[in-house]
């Protein structure tokens, strides 16, 4: 990556170089959190409260980073989190991420608000595992159409983001008056959708601005409630995973309503500021769910030891967010590949130096809260 030809390892260097590449508005959109950014900061701070207690002389000469999830084995211990509007970060956007994911065999959770359509992204991924993240539209027929298209394009799970009934109060974006959907990034799945197109008086090719206005009206669904999950179940055989769980009661509800998994996440501190850090939420939720469905985790993972700590605290898988987006901004596909390569190496080294050989060996005996 362009760092005087030196590789970039440090997260703050990734951030710095991305800042140097992107416009102020786009960098801020990616980097910032909502409100006073307390939760954004807490997500990283929370990892510092937990320390690893390694145990040695265990023969760690052969290591395995694979994980088992929903009856599949994934080669890498992390998936790529759904991040929307990636065309704003790099012209190749999600296509570059897909090529890098394929190269490194990292599963990719593709956002609804992607700059390229879910079918175009699937074509790039080949047989790389992929899930589709759903922003449940207030237009139910459109929601069903998106889910069916994802199933047809080989996505193997639907991730329903539940923490975004409406967009969080993002002061930085409000200050910059920057909204990527309005700027034209993130409409590909809608513009390619027969149901959405049928709602328009003029096609997006003829009148893009009015199509975007229509999209802004239906993108989120504030009325969504637990009983609506049956609607998705009716339209797909794929596992349904709820993203954005922070309260143990919601985790219990997820089990009761038949979700196949949950993701403990606060959306990278981008929804309600002042919510607890994702890592602080994790142990209670793991305890309540008690193995009935997988518990995934994101928000604040920056390095290998963070991955180790999240697994030790009971996560069944973790998602990588901002780090790969910065790689994309800095150098497209190659930039994402470099970030993934470094992360894989970091997790591998962290595992061995914690005295373990497999991700599945990580449990709470490995960590202590200080
Ligand atoms: C720029 C940006 C856009 C995002 N877009 C989406 C999205 O479209 N759908 C979604 O469910 N989560 C979205 N997220 C949240 C991520 O999936 C993930 O929860 C978050 O990035 C984790 O925090 P971290 O990146 O600080 O580790 C977005 C995050 C960022 C930074």
């Amino acid at each position: 990556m362009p760092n005087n030809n030196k590789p970039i390892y440090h997260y703050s260097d990734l951030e710095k170089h991305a800042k140097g590449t992107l416009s102020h508005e786009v960098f801020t959109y990616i980097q910032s959190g909502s409100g006073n950014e307390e939760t954004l900061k807490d997500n990283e701070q929370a990892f510092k409260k937990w320390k690893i207690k390694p145990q040695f002389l265990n023969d760690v000469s052969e290591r395995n980073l694979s994980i088992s999830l929903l009856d599949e084995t994934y080669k890498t211990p992390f998936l790529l989190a759904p991040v929307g509007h990636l065309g704003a970060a790099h012209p190749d956007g999600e296509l570059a991420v897909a090529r890098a994911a394929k190269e490194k065999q990292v599963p990719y959770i593709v956002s609804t608000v992607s700059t390229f359509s879910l079918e175009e992204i699937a074509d790039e991924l080949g047989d790389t595992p992929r899930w589709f993240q759903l922003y449940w539209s207030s237009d139910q027929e459109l929601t069903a159409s998106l889910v069916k298209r994802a199933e047809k394009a080989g996505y193997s799970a639907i991730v329903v983001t539940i923490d975004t009934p409406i967009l969080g109060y993002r002061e930085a974006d409000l200050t910059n008056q920057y909204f990527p959907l309005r700027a034209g990034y993130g409409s590909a799945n809608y513009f390619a959708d027969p149901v959405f197109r049928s709602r328009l008086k003029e096609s997006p090719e003829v009148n893009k601005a009015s199509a975007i206005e229509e999209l802004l009206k239906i993108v989120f669904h504030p009325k969504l409630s637990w009983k609506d999950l049956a609607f998705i179940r009716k339209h797909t055989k794929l596992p349904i995973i709820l993203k954005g769980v922070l309260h143990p009661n919601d985790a219990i509800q997820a089990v009761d309503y038949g979700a196949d998994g949950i993701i403990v996440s606060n959306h990278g501190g981008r929804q309600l500021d002042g919510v607890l850090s994702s890592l602080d939420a994790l142990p209670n939720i793991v305890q309540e769910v008690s193995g009935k469905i997988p518990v995934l985790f994101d928000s604040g993972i920056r390095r290998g030891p963070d991955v180790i700590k999240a697994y030790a605290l009971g996560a069944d898988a973790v998602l990588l967010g901002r780090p790969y987006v910065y790689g994309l901004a800095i150098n497209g596909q190659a930039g994402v590949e470099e970030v993934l390569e470094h992360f894989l190496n970091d997790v591998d080294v962290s595992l061995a130096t914690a005295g373990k050989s497999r991700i599945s060996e990580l449990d709470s005996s490995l960590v202590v809260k200080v």
Side-chain angles (χ1 to χ4, degrees), residues 36-315:
N36 195 29
E37 303 191 330
E38 285 170 28
T39 299
L40 177 69
K41 291 176 203 121
D42 284 351
N43 280 341
E44 289 186 30
Q45 287 298 328
F47 282 92
K48 301 193 175 132
K49 294 188 282 190
W50 289 93
K51 302 293 172 192
I52 300 168
K53 299 180 288 177
Q55 285 181 281
F56 297 116
L57 299 178
N58 282 327
D59 183 0
V60 293
S61 57
E62 294 198 13
R63 296 178 298 281
N64 185 332
L65 300 184
S66 69
I67 54 169
S68 298
L69 206 54
L70 301 167
D71 300 326
E72 302 281 341
T73 300
Y74 295 123
K75 287 187 186 146
T76 62
F78 50 82
L79 299 84
L80 300 185
V83 173
H85 323 288
L86 288 178
H90 189 278
D92 297 338
E94 295 83 7
L95 300 184
V97 175
R99 290 174 197 134
K102 182 177 181 183
E103 197 59 40
K104 299 292 170 196
Q105 286 295 295
V106 179
Y108 182 15
I109 309 177
V110 174
S111 166
T112 313
V113 286
S114 50
T115 322
F116 296 89
S117 73
L118 62 92
E119 289 86 358
E120 290 170 302
I121 300 166
D123 281 348
E124 291 297 336
L125 283 163
D127 56 9
T128 313
R130 52 184 169 274
W131 298 356
F132 181 67
Q133 176 266 328
L134 179 70
Y135 276 135
W136 193 309
S137 166
S138 56
D139 182 335
Q140 294 283 67
E141 209 188 321
L142 171 59
T143 298
S145 175
L146 287 167
V147 168
K148 283 194 188 128
R149 283 171 54 200
E151 188 164 347
K152 193 167 166 219
Y155 290 79
S156 61
I158 302 294
V159 174
V160 179
T161 298
I162 63 169
D163 60 18
T164 311
I166 60 173
L167 213 57
Y169 199 72
R170 302 182 184 171
E171 294 181 11
D173 297 336
L174 290 165
T175 305
N176 293 333
Q177 285 294 294
Y178 182 74
F179 310 103
L181 262 183
R182 208 174 271 282
Y185 303 105
S187 48
N189 281 325
Y190 302 87
F191 288 5
D193 195 279
V195 174
F196 182 75
R197 294 180 73 92
S198 75
R199 307 292 194 242
L200 303 174
K201 289 198 188 73
E202 293 173 298
S203 74
E205 295 75 28
V206 172
N207 191 344
K208 191 173 174 189
S210 112
I212 289 176
E213 288 310 312
E214 285 306 308
L215 163 52
L216 289 167
K217 285 184 207 155
I218 52 84
V219 62
F220 302 124
H221 187 22
K223 279 192 179 160
L224 197 64
S225 63
W226 286 100
K227 61 181 175 11
D228 292 317
L229 288 179
F231 176 83
I232 293 258
R233 190 51 94 204
K234 210 170 69 191
H235 285 96
T236 182
K237 293 191 183 61
L238 297 179
I240 297 167
I241 296 170
L242 304 186
K243 174 172 183 280
V245 174
L246 289 174
H247 200 297
N249 290 354
D250 274 359
I252 294 167
Q253 293 263 62
V255 174
D256 290 348
Y257 277 86
D260 300 284
I262 55 172
I263 305 177
V264 176
S265 166
N266 56 33
H267 214 114
R270 299 165 72 81
Q271 280 301 99
L272 176 61
D273 191 35
V275 301
L276 78 173
S277 81
S278 214
L279 198 72
D280 283 333
L282 182 64
N284 281 345
I285 290 177
V286 166
Q287 195 183 356
E288 289 296 339
V289 170
S290 68
K292 292 191 191 95
I293 53 173
V295 177
L296 289 77
F297 171 89
D298 79 24
S299 298
I301 297 233
R302 302 290 176 254
R303 294 190 164 75
D306 301 339
V307 174
I308 303 291
K309 289 176 189 177
Y311 277 104
L313 290 173

